[in-house]
Amino acid sequence: MGLLLRRRVGPRLETPGVRRLAAQRDRNPHQLVAPRDQQRHRATGRVLLEASIEPLGPDPEVVDGQDLVARIRKITDKPIKWVINSHFHGDHHFGNPPFKALGATFVAQKETARLMEKVQPKEIARRGNFFKSRGFDPSEVRLILPDVTFDNEMTIKLGGRAVRLAYLGPGQQAGDTFVFFPHARMVFTTGMFGPRSMPNMAFTPSVENWIKLLDRLAAMDVDKILPAHGDVSTSKDVKELAAMVADEYATVQDAIAKGTTLDEALRTVKLPQYKDWRNYNRLEGEIRALYELIGTGKRSYFD
């Protein structure tokens, strides 16, 4: 697993390297550091980044992380000070170890830290096909827990600039952490938002709260929204996802209210209007997850 390096580029970040990376991002938003959706942020000698799976090498923990370090070193020789784990999914923290070796400080919201530890075996297990297809040994994945945790807000000072971390309540899962870059008028979101992508419904404690959080994100006074997966986005993209989540949720609620069994719903609920969205192949799992949540109010993944 490589690392998702959050670089925020704005009009006041005017070094030649920043201008070059901003132009590169505009040309190809998927290939700044790793194959997809990675963002980077540097401010006066510090680098802020988040760990994320990327299939870049034979060992997801060491080789990919070292590869990303090498890429960072092509941009700057400044120390890597902070790693933010925005949520508990393994593809956002399995790449921690190489950066631990560099002395970075790891930060996460308290619920994220708790869930990272609680479901580590399940996070490895549900990525079994990923490990197998690339010849990775999952036993080599080491859990690196945060050094610092916070409840609702935390500010990281980066050379005179402030980067604000905020927990606004659970969306896709408890612990979802927003990272605000006020000087660049940008915000990084967690997996609770991805443009035109069917999100994983297996972890949310409340779809209603998730939709409210998306509405709140869409109303934020920022120029760009940087998702955990997908292209740089705007409020229009967020509103589109909020409408899709509400549509899917209402469709499943309606099926349950009509007495449709889970097996019947799996055969008949197809939501063809989203067939061209990324991760449409998740639909069956989404239906199962929503039947569980609506029927029991529980999330069995955390049992």
Side-chain angles (χ1 to χ4, degrees):
M1 294 108 197
L3 291 177
L4 188 57
L5 179 57
R6 306 295 180 195
R7 181 175 182 79
R8 312 303 178 180
V9 181
R12 285 181 290 278
L13 301 181
E14 290 296 328
T15 68
V18 165
R19 288 195 296 269
R20 181 178 68 253
L21 288 166
Q24 182 182 355
R25 176 75 190 188
D26 291 340
R27 290 194 302 273
N28 191 341
H30 291 294
Q31 295 181 356
L32 274 175
V33 173
R36 48 177 194 156
D37 62 73
Q38 274 73 348
Q39 308 290 328
R40 289 172 286 187
H41 176 79
R42 181 182 64 194
T44 57
R46 291 171 173 81
V47 178
L48 179 73
L49 47 88
E50 175 185 348
S52 171
I53 285 180
E54 287 300 337
L56 301 177
D59 185 333
E61 183 178 330
V62 178
V63 176
D64 290 353
Q66 291 175 344
D67 177 77
L68 184 54
V69 170
R71 296 180 188 218
I72 294 169
R73 290 296 173 245
K74 291 179 180 179
I75 299 170
T76 179
D77 61 355
K78 303 303 181 183
I80 299 168
K81 294 289 188 180
W82 300 95
V83 175
I84 299 171
N85 294 131
S86 65
H87 54 305
F88 76 86
H89 296 191
D91 58 335
H92 292 267
H93 71 81
F94 283 172
N96 282 352
F99 291 83
K100 184 70 171 179
L102 294 177
T105 298
F106 293 79
V107 181
Q109 200 274 341
K110 285 185 176 180
E111 277 297 289
T112 292
R114 182 183 69 83
L115 293 172
M116 283 170 63
E117 186 169 23
K118 179 180 177 65
V119 301
Q120 170 79 346
K122 289 185 176 181
E123 283 296 293
I124 292 175
R126 76 182 177 102
R127 291 173 171 79
N129 290 336
F130 170 84
F131 286 111
K132 184 176 180 180
S133 67
R134 290 160 178 82
F136 294 165
D137 182 357
S139 68
E140 294 180 358
V141 176
R142 292 189 296 115
L143 177 63
I144 303 295
L145 291 171
D147 302 298
V148 178
T149 61
F150 66 97
D151 289 314
N152 298 313
E153 290 191 3
M154 177 177 172
T155 298
I156 296 175
K157 300 292 186 179
L158 295 173
R161 293 188 174 113
V163 174
R164 186 169 69 90
L165 284 59
Y167 178 52
L168 305 177
Q172 187 184 35
Q173 55 270 313
D176 277 339
T177 298
F178 289 87
V179 184
F180 293 92
F181 300 87
H183 59 279
R185 293 184 53 78
M186 294 185 183
V187 59
F188 162 73
T189 73
T190 65
M192 55 81 68
F193 166 68
R196 295 184 66 83
S197 177
M198 294 191 78
N200 193 329
M201 293 280 188
F203 316 114
T204 183
S206 170
V207 178
E208 292 94 341
N209 195 72
W210 189 348
I211 294 169
K212 290 178 182 177
L213 197 58
L214 287 167
D215 291 341
R216 187 171 177 180
L217 172 62
M220 288 180 182
D221 185 21
V222 295
D223 293 335
K224 292 184 179 180
I225 298 167
L226 308 174
H229 302 282
D231 295 343
V232 172
S233 303
T234 65
S235 62
K236 179 181 177 181
D237 301 304
V238 179
K239 292 175 182 177
E240 185 178 34
L241 181 67
M244 176 268 158
V245 172
D247 186 18
E248 181 181 24
Y249 188 44
T251 299
V252 175
Q253 283 181 310
D254 184 59
I256 292 173
K258 291 177 178 178
T260 306
T261 67
L262 174 58
D263 287 342
E264 289 172 335
L266 293 174
R267 290 194 302 270
T268 60
V269 176
K270 297 302 179 184
L271 299 177
Q273 63 271 41
Y274 306 112
K275 64 181 177 61
D276 295 328
W277 281 41
R278 187 161 55 95
N279 293 318
Y280 178 75
N281 61 350
R282 284 178 172 168
L283 181 60
E284 180 175 314
E286 304 298 272
I287 295 170
R288 291 182 184 276
L290 288 174
Y291 260 70
E292 176 190 71
L293 179 62
I294 295 168
T296 70
K298 297 180 180 179
R299 305 276 57 178
S300 59
Y301 192 74
F302 302 119
D303 290 345

